[in-house]
Structures are given as structure tokens and as C-alpha cells.
């Protein structure tokens, strides 16, 4: 499909009458556009890049100091990781499954840098509450004592730092799977055993 048409469809989906497509740059690899309105001030809107190969959208806000550099860095990082993990998509989130550890303390440090979080369901009356909590190094170390060890819902951009570090200095053996959001009930009477499991 023509990238200009994709960009126009993207703007129309915003559902603000009168938006005008502004082409900022086009190369063989990407198409960059923005949009404006003749009378409205659109706060927060920045450039959007379309990856021409896979037709993916990379959107940036007006507060991003260098969106082009950010976009190019993501694509370069993705290409590097795809040499060993062809399915890797920098826009997705993944589950990390650690099967073997070579440098435990270095690994804990790298995992802490990812700002990982976990959720343990809490029952209050007839309601189930799920409040995300940040990992600390002690909990990470405890979880790593039993392998395989899974950490869920890590944005690919964060995970890429660990994967690249692991190429330079072997920390772990691992696999990744794409994270898929599942709907869980918030009512005790409708819950199953799976609804009450922690999300690590």
C-alpha cells in the first residue's frame, strides 16, 4: 500500500476535521510525516515515521528532542538483534525465559536496569485488586534460584539492552516469547485459579 495513503488514513482516524498531512521526509527505508490544522493548536503532536519494509508506525510527541535519531537507533538495534532473533520487533513486548545463568550478579544488575514489575492479586471482599509493584534486587535474586525463570511483559526497547549486553558478555541462555495481554476478572465469584496467579 502507498505510504501516503497509510499516513492519510492515520490522520483521518484521529477524527478531527480539517487536519492536513505534512510530509517531512522520505527515503527508501522510511516515510516521515506530521499534521497540522488551520485554526487549532495541536499540543503534543510530533512526527510519525512509517517503516516502509514492514509498514509499522513509530510515533513521537512534540517533547522528543530528536525523534529521527530515536527512530534510526530503534531500527538499527532491531536489525542487530534480528541476526540471532529474527522474530524480534522493537515495538512489541516480550516474556523473557531464562534457562541458564553464567554471571548472576551482573545479570541482577541488568535486570534492575529494566525497571521490571510484578503483580500479585489481592482479594478485598468480593473484589480482586492487581497493583503493579517494582522488583528489588533481593526478589530478583530469589526468583533466579529456580530455573527456568520467567519475567513477563518487557518492552522490546528495554529488553534490547539486555540482549545486546548478553552478546558482549555471556550472562544467560534464554528464549523470548511475545507477550499477549489476557483479560482477568476483578470479581472473586467469577474468578478461576488462573485469575489468582501472580504475574511475574
Amino acid at each position: 500500500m502507498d505510504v501516503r495513503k497509510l499516513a492519510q488514513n492515520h490522520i483521518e482516524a484521529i477524527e478531527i476535521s480539517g487536519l492536513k498531512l505534512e510530509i517531512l521526509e522520505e527515503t527508501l527505508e522510511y516515510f516521515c510525516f506530521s499534521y497540522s490544522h488551520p485554526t487549532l493548536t495541536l499540543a503534543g503532536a510530533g512526527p510519525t515515521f512509517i517503516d516502509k519494509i514492514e509498514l509499522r508506525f513509530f510515533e513521537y510527541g512534540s517533547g522528543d528532542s530528536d525523534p529521527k535519531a530515536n527512530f534510526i537507533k530503534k531500527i538499527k538495534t532491531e536489525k542487530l538483534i534480528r541476526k540471532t532473533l529474527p522474530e524480534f520487533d522493537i515495538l512489541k513486548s516480550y516474556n523473557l525465559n531464562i534457562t541458564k545463568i553464567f554471571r548472576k550478579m551482573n545479570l541482577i544488575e541488568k535486570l534492575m536496569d529494566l525497571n521490571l514489575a510484578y503483580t500479585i492479586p489481592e482479594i478485598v471482599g468480593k473484589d480482586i485488586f492487581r497493583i503493579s509493584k517494582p522488583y528489588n534486587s533481593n526478589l530478583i535474586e530469589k526468583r533466579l534460584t529456580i530455573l527456568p525463570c520467567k519475567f513477563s511483559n518487557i518492552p522490546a526497547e528495554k529488553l534490547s539492552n539486555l540482549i545486546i549486553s548478553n552478546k558482549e558478555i555471556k550472562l544467560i541462555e534464554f528464549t523470548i516469547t511475545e507477550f499477549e495481554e489476557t483479560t482477568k476478572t476483578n470479581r472473586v465469584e467469577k474468578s478461576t485459579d488462573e485469575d489468582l496467579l501472580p504475574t511475574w
Side-chain angles (χ1 to χ4, degrees), residues 1 50 65 88 93 104 107 110 117 120 137 147 174 197:
M1 180 182 266
I50 301 178
S65 59
F88 190 80
S93 290
K104 189 173 185 179
L107 173 60
K110 294 295 181 184
I120 297 178
S137 58
L147 298 179
F174 70 96
L197 289 174

Side-chain angles (χ1 to χ4, degrees), residues 14 20 25 29 56 68-69 78 81 146 154 156 172:
I14 298 172
K20 180 182 176 184
E25 185 180 5
E29 291 81 26
R56 294 173 298 168
K68 181 177 176 179
E78 183 181 75
I81 293 174
I146 300 175
I154 307 173
I172 53 173

Side-chain angles (χ1 to χ4, degrees), residues 120-180:
I120 297 178
E122 298 177 18
I123 297 174
V124 180
K126 295 182 179 180
D127 297 312
I128 303 170
F129 292 91
R130 297 179 181 86
I131 301 172
S132 184
K133 300 176 182 178
Y135 273 97
N136 58 40
S137 58
N138 289 335
L139 181 54
I140 289 177
E141 184 171 11
K142 182 179 179 181
R143 294 211 57 235
L144 292 174
T145 59
I146 300 175
L147 298 179
C149 179
K150 178 180 174 182
F151 294 93
S152 301
N153 194 16
I154 307 173
E157 192 171 1
K158 286 185 177 182
L159 184 58
S160 64
N161 296 327
L162 175 61
I163 294 173
I164 291 171
S165 293
N166 198 55
K167 284 176 176 287
E168 297 166 353
I169 301 173
K170 190 78 168 177
L171 302 173
I172 53 173
E173 287 181 1
F174 70 96
T175 59
I176 61 171
T177 55
E178 186 178 337
F179 173 75
E180 295 182 8

